[in-house]
Amino acid sequence: MKLLRIFQYAYIIFAALFLWDAYTNWSIDRNRAYMSLFFAALGIFMFFFRRRYANKFKDRNKD
């Protein structure tokens, strides 16, 4: 269960890295920047998705 929690926060870390990549490449290569923004949004989505289902799983096991 702790390992899943670590991976949950890894999505946020990767999203931050992709945001930084988009910021640094914005004036150089817009296509790469847009791709990085897509992956950052996907990482943020996955963080909240995994957190929601981890909480549902935890609540289900309490009963």
Side-chain angles (χ1 to χ4, degrees):
M1 191 72 169
K2 274 206 184 258
L3 187 62
L4 294 176
R5 200 136 182 97
I6 291 170
F7 279 116
Q8 176 181 339
Y9 288 104
Y11 286 117
I12 290 293
I13 293 168
F14 282 116
L17 290 174
F18 280 118
L19 284 173
W20 177 255
D21 185 55
Y23 175 75
T24 58
N25 288 314
W26 187 259
S27 62
I28 300 167
D29 185 11
R30 288 274 170 103
N31 288 331
R32 182 175 173 181
Y34 287 134
M35 186 63 77
S36 293
L37 287 174
F38 170 74
F39 283 122
L42 183 65
I44 293 169
F45 168 76
M46 285 300 296
F47 169 76
F48 287 110
F49 180 79
R50 298 276 287 194
R51 191 169 100 179
R52 179 177 175 213
Y53 280 98
N55 288 339
K56 279 188 175 185
F57 184 74
K58 190 170 69 172
D59 289 342
R60 186 177 65 179
N61 286 337
K62 281 184 180 178
D63 295 338

